[in-house]
Amino acid sequence: MRLKTCLIAAAALIAVATPGLAHRNWLLPSATIFSSTPETVAVDAAESTDLFFPDHRALGVERIKVWAPDGSEGKIQNGSNGRVRSTFEVQLDKPGTWRIGMVQNGIGGTFKVDGVEWRLFSGRRPGGAGGPGAGAGRGPGAPGGPSGAGGEPPRFVSSIDEIPANATDIRITETSGSNNIYVTAGEPTDTVFTPTGKGLEMVPVTHLTELVKGEPARLKFLVDGKPAAGLKVSVLPGGKRYRDSDGAIEIMTGADGVATIDWPEAGMFWLNTSFADNKATMPKATGRRMSYTATLEVMAP
């Protein structure tokens, strides 16, 4: 695995989901409200410059999870990974509100051993300039580890347990995030919004089936189950391809963690927020970063 791939895997929902960056990850459902069951929702999944226009690369369907209205695990059907877009379907065979999306957790950062920088990526390590046979990617304690000589390529480990006791300049960050869509068949339900009390989560005060142009909606954000005050929430409409600006709206949450959004138009919107603190839970980690992303459909009045 190349270095670029590892960087993306370590912070996919943090880095690329930030509104100021070039590419954004998104899921786009064919619709979010269905009158009854059974129905089928079709979903596109991609990372692109312009929202909902696949122009960069696909998001793998193997990363998608489905939660049924009763909390049970659903499944995707007819999944296909393309070059710039993936597609799949979910059969809505139970009434209520479904959650479909990606959840990622990782850890990454840097540390030094004898003055030589090493990098931590959760998951598979990338090969170095000399390949595995040349010692690239070995643990710091292994023969052929860093000697401090100039010109050596950076070294890599894939687990916190591989960081030796004599490591210095440790800068390790936990990352977590989710990218979601919500689809309702028949009467809406709330089970899929039940917070876990871990990380950054969204609980709608206004149900997502009731998002209407010109009618303010209230969405509550939590960090570890508590209201996330002062959180900046970015909302972007699709269709930038046909506008001079991205049309971004930024809202701050109040003391109760609630963001009030007055939708300027009907259509699909991409919502994103992130949060960072020093409350890491893993040993040797010095901080954590969390993100939450969702595609929401706003109806005409």
Side-chain angles (χ1 to χ4, degrees), residues 24 26 28 48-53 235-249 263-271 294-298:
R24 301 181 179 96
W26 49 264
L28 182 66
S48 67
T49 304
D50 291 341
L51 280 173
F52 312 139
F53 289 96
V235 179
L236 286 79
K240 180 184 180 297
R241 190 182 187 93
Y242 309 112
R243 295 193 306 269
D244 292 332
S245 66
D246 60 13
I249 303 169
W263 308 101
E265 59 188 69
M268 292 290 186
F269 284 78
W270 184 86
L271 178 148
T295 299
L296 305 175
E297 185 175 24
V298 176

Short mmCIF file of all heavy atoms in Angstrom, two decimals, residues 24 26 28 48-53 235-249 263-271 294-298:
data_model
loop_
_atom_site.label_atom_id
_atom_site.label_comp_id
_atom_site.label_asym_id
_atom_site.label_seq_id
_atom_site.Cartn_x
_atom_site.Cartn_y
_atom_site.Cartn_z
N ARG A 24 -14.56 15.88 -1.39
CA ARG A 24 -15.46 15.52 -0.29
C ARG A 24 -16.05 14.14 -0.55
O ARG A 24 -16.38 13.79 -1.69
CB ARG A 24 -16.59 16.55 -0.16
CG ARG A 24 -16.12 17.97 0.10
CD ARG A 24 -17.30 18.92 0.23
NE ARG A 24 -16.86 20.28 0.52
CZ ARG A 24 -16.70 21.22 -0.40
NH1 ARG A 24 -16.93 20.95 -1.68
NH2 ARG A 24 -16.30 22.43 -0.07
N TRP A 26 -19.13 11.57 -0.28
CA TRP A 26 -20.58 11.71 -0.19
C TRP A 26 -21.30 10.44 -0.61
O TRP A 26 -20.81 9.63 -1.38
CB TRP A 26 -21.08 12.89 -1.03
CG TRP A 26 -20.57 12.96 -2.44
CD1 TRP A 26 -19.51 13.69 -2.90
CD2 TRP A 26 -21.11 12.28 -3.59
NE1 TRP A 26 -19.36 13.51 -4.25
CE2 TRP A 26 -20.32 12.66 -4.71
CE3 TRP A 26 -22.18 11.41 -3.80
CZ2 TRP A 26 -20.56 12.18 -6.01
CZ3 TRP A 26 -22.42 10.93 -5.08
CH2 TRP A 26 -21.62 11.31 -6.17
N LEU A 28 -25.22 9.54 -2.05
CA LEU A 28 -26.37 10.22 -2.64
C LEU A 28 -27.48 9.20 -2.90
O LEU A 28 -27.36 8.36 -3.80
CB LEU A 28 -25.97 10.90 -3.95
CG LEU A 28 -27.10 11.69 -4.65
CD1 LEU A 28 -27.52 12.88 -3.79
CD2 LEU A 28 -26.63 12.16 -6.02
N SER A 48 -15.45 13.58 -4.61
CA SER A 48 -15.37 14.45 -5.78
C SER A 48 -15.12 15.89 -5.37
O SER A 48 -15.25 16.27 -4.21
CB SER A 48 -16.66 14.36 -6.60
OG SER A 48 -17.75 14.89 -5.88
N THR A 49 -14.80 16.71 -6.36
CA THR A 49 -14.60 18.13 -6.14
C THR A 49 -15.94 18.83 -5.98
O THR A 49 -16.16 19.57 -5.02
CB THR A 49 -13.82 18.75 -7.32
OG1 THR A 49 -12.59 18.05 -7.48
CG2 THR A 49 -13.54 20.23 -7.07
N ASP A 50 -16.85 18.63 -6.93
CA ASP A 50 -18.19 19.19 -6.85
C ASP A 50 -19.13 18.15 -6.25
O ASP A 50 -19.15 17.00 -6.70
CB ASP A 50 -18.71 19.59 -8.25
CG ASP A 50 -17.96 20.78 -8.82
OD1 ASP A 50 -17.33 21.51 -8.05
OD2 ASP A 50 -18.01 20.96 -10.05
N LEU A 51 -19.90 18.57 -5.26
CA LEU A 51 -20.78 17.64 -4.58
C LEU A 51 -21.74 16.96 -5.55
O LEU A 51 -22.38 17.62 -6.38
CB LEU A 51 -21.59 18.37 -3.51
CG LEU A 51 -20.87 18.64 -2.19
CD1 LEU A 51 -21.73 19.51 -1.30
CD2 LEU A 51 -20.52 17.33 -1.50
N PHE A 52 -21.82 15.63 -5.42
CA PHE A 52 -22.77 14.79 -6.14
C PHE A 52 -22.49 14.69 -7.64
O PHE A 52 -23.31 14.18 -8.38
CB PHE A 52 -24.21 15.25 -5.89
CG PHE A 52 -24.51 15.49 -4.42
CD1 PHE A 52 -25.27 16.58 -4.02
CD2 PHE A 52 -24.02 14.64 -3.44
CE1 PHE A 52 -25.55 16.81 -2.67
CE2 PHE A 52 -24.29 14.85 -2.09
CZ PHE A 52 -25.05 15.94 -1.70
N PHE A 53 -21.30 15.16 -8.06
CA PHE A 53 -20.85 14.95 -9.44
C PHE A 53 -19.57 14.11 -9.37
O PHE A 53 -18.51 14.63 -9.00
CB PHE A 53 -20.58 16.27 -10.16
CG PHE A 53 -21.82 17.04 -10.48
CD1 PHE A 53 -22.28 18.04 -9.63
CD2 PHE A 53 -22.56 16.76 -11.62
CE1 PHE A 53 -23.44 18.75 -9.91
CE2 PHE A 53 -23.72 17.47 -11.92
CZ PHE A 53 -24.16 18.47 -11.06
N VAL A 235 -23.09 23.43 5.94
CA VAL A 235 -24.14 22.84 5.10
C VAL A 235 -23.94 23.36 3.68
O VAL A 235 -23.89 24.57 3.46
CB VAL A 235 -25.54 23.22 5.63
CG1 VAL A 235 -26.62 22.63 4.74
CG2 VAL A 235 -25.71 22.75 7.07
N LEU A 236 -23.84 22.44 2.72
CA LEU A 236 -23.61 22.82 1.33
C LEU A 236 -24.66 22.17 0.44
O LEU A 236 -24.88 20.96 0.53
CB LEU A 236 -22.23 22.39 0.85
CG LEU A 236 -21.01 23.15 1.34
CD1 LEU A 236 -20.64 22.72 2.75
CD2 LEU A 236 -19.84 22.93 0.40
N PRO A 237 -25.30 22.94 -0.42
CA PRO A 237 -26.24 22.35 -1.39
C PRO A 237 -25.47 21.74 -2.56
O PRO A 237 -24.35 22.16 -2.87
CB PRO A 237 -27.07 23.54 -1.84
CG PRO A 237 -26.14 24.72 -1.71
CD PRO A 237 -25.26 24.41 -0.52
N GLY A 238 -26.07 20.74 -3.19
CA GLY A 238 -25.48 20.22 -4.41
C GLY A 238 -25.64 21.22 -5.53
O GLY A 238 -26.24 22.29 -5.37
N GLY A 239 -25.05 20.91 -6.69
CA GLY A 239 -25.24 21.76 -7.85
C GLY A 239 -24.25 22.88 -8.01
O GLY A 239 -24.48 23.80 -8.80
N LYS A 240 -23.09 22.84 -7.29
CA LYS A 240 -22.10 23.91 -7.45
C LYS A 240 -21.62 24.01 -8.91
O LYS A 240 -21.20 25.08 -9.36
CB LYS A 240 -20.91 23.66 -6.53
CG LYS A 240 -19.82 24.73 -6.65
CD LYS A 240 -18.61 24.40 -5.80
CE LYS A 240 -17.55 25.48 -5.94
NZ LYS A 240 -17.03 25.56 -7.33
N ARG A 241 -21.71 22.93 -9.60
CA ARG A 241 -21.31 22.90 -11.02
C ARG A 241 -22.02 24.01 -11.81
O ARG A 241 -21.51 24.50 -12.82
CB ARG A 241 -21.67 21.53 -11.58
CG ARG A 241 -21.13 21.22 -12.96
CD ARG A 241 -21.63 19.84 -13.37
NE ARG A 241 -21.05 19.38 -14.61
CZ ARG A 241 -19.96 18.64 -14.71
NH1 ARG A 241 -19.31 18.29 -13.61
NH2 ARG A 241 -19.50 18.24 -15.88
N TYR A 242 -23.19 24.41 -11.34
CA TYR A 242 -23.99 25.40 -12.05
C TYR A 242 -24.10 26.72 -11.30
O TYR A 242 -24.98 27.53 -11.57
CB TYR A 242 -25.39 24.83 -12.30
CG TYR A 242 -25.34 23.46 -12.95
CD1 TYR A 242 -25.76 22.33 -12.26
CD2 TYR A 242 -24.87 23.31 -14.25
CE1 TYR A 242 -25.70 21.08 -12.85
CE2 TYR A 242 -24.81 22.06 -14.85
CZ TYR A 242 -25.23 20.95 -14.15
OH TYR A 242 -25.18 19.71 -14.73
N ARG A 243 -23.17 26.95 -10.32
CA ARG A 243 -23.19 28.20 -9.56
C ARG A 243 -21.79 28.79 -9.51
O ARG A 243 -20.80 28.09 -9.73
CB ARG A 243 -23.67 27.95 -8.11
CG ARG A 243 -25.10 27.48 -7.96
CD ARG A 243 -25.53 27.58 -6.50
NE ARG A 243 -24.62 26.88 -5.61
CZ ARG A 243 -24.76 25.60 -5.25
NH1 ARG A 243 -25.78 24.90 -5.70
NH2 ARG A 243 -23.89 25.02 -4.43
N ASP A 244 -21.72 30.07 -9.19
CA ASP A 244 -20.42 30.73 -9.05
C ASP A 244 -19.77 30.44 -7.70
O ASP A 244 -18.56 30.57 -7.56
CB ASP A 244 -20.57 32.25 -9.22
CG ASP A 244 -20.95 32.63 -10.64
OD1 ASP A 244 -20.59 31.88 -11.57
OD2 ASP A 244 -21.61 33.67 -10.82
N SER A 245 -20.58 30.08 -6.70
CA SER A 245 -20.05 29.78 -5.37
C SER A 245 -20.61 28.46 -4.89
O SER A 245 -21.56 27.93 -5.46
CB SER A 245 -20.40 30.90 -4.38
OG SER A 245 -21.80 30.94 -4.17
N ASP A 246 -20.02 27.94 -3.78
CA ASP A 246 -20.51 26.65 -3.29
C ASP A 246 -21.79 26.79 -2.47
O ASP A 246 -22.43 25.79 -2.14
CB ASP A 246 -19.44 25.92 -2.50
CG ASP A 246 -18.96 26.70 -1.28
OD1 ASP A 246 -19.62 27.68 -0.89
OD2 ASP A 246 -17.91 26.32 -0.71
N GLY A 247 -22.20 28.02 -2.15
CA GLY A 247 -23.45 28.22 -1.41
C GLY A 247 -23.41 27.73 0.02
O GLY A 247 -24.46 27.45 0.61
N ALA A 248 -22.21 27.64 0.61
CA ALA A 248 -22.07 27.08 1.95
C ALA A 248 -22.75 27.94 3.00
O ALA A 248 -22.74 29.17 2.94
CB ALA A 248 -20.59 26.92 2.29
N ILE A 249 -23.37 27.27 3.96
CA ILE A 249 -23.98 27.90 5.13
C ILE A 249 -23.24 27.37 6.35
O ILE A 249 -23.00 26.17 6.46
CB ILE A 249 -25.47 27.56 5.23
CG1 ILE A 249 -26.21 27.96 3.96
CG2 ILE A 249 -26.09 28.22 6.45
CD1 ILE A 249 -27.62 27.40 3.90
N TRP A 263 -33.31 26.26 5.65
CA TRP A 263 -32.94 25.77 4.33
C TRP A 263 -33.31 26.79 3.25
O TRP A 263 -34.46 27.17 3.12
CB TRP A 263 -33.63 24.44 4.05
CG TRP A 263 -33.43 23.43 5.14
CD1 TRP A 263 -34.32 23.10 6.09
CD2 TRP A 263 -32.25 22.66 5.38
NE1 TRP A 263 -33.79 22.16 6.95
CE2 TRP A 263 -32.51 21.86 6.53
CE3 TRP A 263 -31.00 22.56 4.77
CZ2 TRP A 263 -31.57 20.98 7.05
CZ3 TRP A 263 -30.07 21.68 5.29
CH2 TRP A 263 -30.36 20.90 6.41
N PRO A 264 -32.36 27.25 2.45
CA PRO A 264 -32.64 28.28 1.45
C PRO A 264 -33.34 27.77 0.20
O PRO A 264 -33.88 28.54 -0.58
CB PRO A 264 -31.26 28.82 1.11
CG PRO A 264 -30.35 27.65 1.33
CD PRO A 264 -30.93 26.90 2.49
N GLU A 265 -33.29 26.47 -0.01
CA GLU A 265 -33.88 25.88 -1.21
C GLU A 265 -34.13 24.41 -0.97
O GLU A 265 -33.67 23.83 0.02
CB GLU A 265 -32.93 26.05 -2.41
CG GLU A 265 -31.57 25.40 -2.20
CD GLU A 265 -30.59 25.73 -3.29
OE1 GLU A 265 -30.16 26.91 -3.37
OE2 GLU A 265 -30.26 24.81 -4.07
N ALA A 266 -34.89 23.80 -1.86
CA ALA A 266 -35.11 22.36 -1.80
C ALA A 266 -33.98 21.65 -2.53
O ALA A 266 -33.31 22.22 -3.39
CB ALA A 266 -36.46 22.02 -2.43
N GLY A 267 -33.76 20.39 -2.17
CA GLY A 267 -32.73 19.61 -2.84
C GLY A 267 -31.91 18.82 -1.84
O GLY A 267 -32.24 18.72 -0.66
N MET A 268 -30.81 18.23 -2.34
CA MET A 268 -29.91 17.47 -1.50
C MET A 268 -28.83 18.37 -0.93
O MET A 268 -28.21 19.16 -1.65
CB MET A 268 -29.27 16.34 -2.31
CG MET A 268 -30.23 15.24 -2.75
SD MET A 268 -30.80 14.26 -1.34
CE MET A 268 -31.74 12.99 -2.22
N PHE A 269 -28.59 18.25 0.36
CA PHE A 269 -27.57 19.04 1.05
C PHE A 269 -26.56 18.11 1.71
O PHE A 269 -26.92 17.03 2.21
CB PHE A 269 -28.21 19.92 2.13
CG PHE A 269 -28.92 21.13 1.60
CD1 PHE A 269 -30.19 21.02 1.04
CD2 PHE A 269 -28.33 22.39 1.66
CE1 PHE A 269 -30.85 22.13 0.55
CE2 PHE A 269 -28.99 23.51 1.18
CZ PHE A 269 -30.26 23.38 0.62
N TRP A 270 -25.31 18.55 1.72
CA TRP A 270 -24.22 17.84 2.39
C TRP A 270 -23.89 18.57 3.67
O TRP A 270 -23.58 19.77 3.65
CB TRP A 270 -23.02 17.80 1.45
CG TRP A 270 -21.82 17.03 1.89
CD1 TRP A 270 -21.59 15.69 1.73
CD2 TRP A 270 -20.62 17.56 2.50
NE1 TRP A 270 -20.34 15.35 2.20
CE2 TRP A 270 -19.72 16.48 2.68
CE3 TRP A 270 -20.24 18.84 2.91
CZ2 TRP A 270 -18.46 16.65 3.25
CZ3 TRP A 270 -18.98 19.01 3.47
CH2 TRP A 270 -18.12 17.91 3.64
N LEU A 271 -23.98 17.89 4.80
CA LEU A 271 -23.74 18.48 6.12
C LEU A 271 -22.49 17.87 6.72
O LEU A 271 -22.30 16.64 6.66
CB LEU A 271 -24.95 18.26 7.01
CG LEU A 271 -24.87 18.79 8.46
CD1 LEU A 271 -26.27 19.21 8.93
CD2 LEU A 271 -24.32 17.72 9.41
N ALA A 294 -23.39 13.93 6.71
CA ALA A 294 -24.66 13.35 6.26
C ALA A 294 -25.13 14.06 5.00
O ALA A 294 -24.86 15.25 4.80
CB ALA A 294 -25.72 13.46 7.35
N THR A 295 -25.83 13.33 4.16
CA THR A 295 -26.54 13.91 3.03
C THR A 295 -28.01 13.95 3.41
O THR A 295 -28.60 12.92 3.76
CB THR A 295 -26.35 13.07 1.75
OG1 THR A 295 -24.96 13.04 1.42
CG2 THR A 295 -27.11 13.70 0.59
N LEU A 296 -28.61 15.14 3.35
CA LEU A 296 -29.98 15.33 3.78
C LEU A 296 -30.81 15.86 2.61
O LEU A 296 -30.34 16.69 1.83
CB LEU A 296 -30.04 16.32 4.94
CG LEU A 296 -29.17 15.98 6.16
CD1 LEU A 296 -29.24 17.11 7.18
CD2 LEU A 296 -29.59 14.65 6.78
N GLU A 297 -32.06 15.40 2.52
CA GLU A 297 -32.94 15.87 1.46
C GLU A 297 -33.94 16.87 2.03
O GLU A 297 -34.63 16.59 3.00
CB GLU A 297 -33.69 14.70 0.82
CG GLU A 297 -34.54 15.14 -0.37
CD GLU A 297 -35.20 13.98 -1.11
OE1 GLU A 297 -35.39 12.91 -0.47
OE2 GLU A 297 -35.51 14.15 -2.30
N VAL A 298 -34.00 18.04 1.40
CA VAL A 298 -34.93 19.09 1.80
C VAL A 298 -36.02 19.20 0.73
O VAL A 298 -35.73 19.31 -0.45
CB VAL A 298 -34.20 20.44 1.95
CG1 VAL A 298 -35.19 21.56 2.27
CG2 VAL A 298 -33.12 20.33 3.03
#
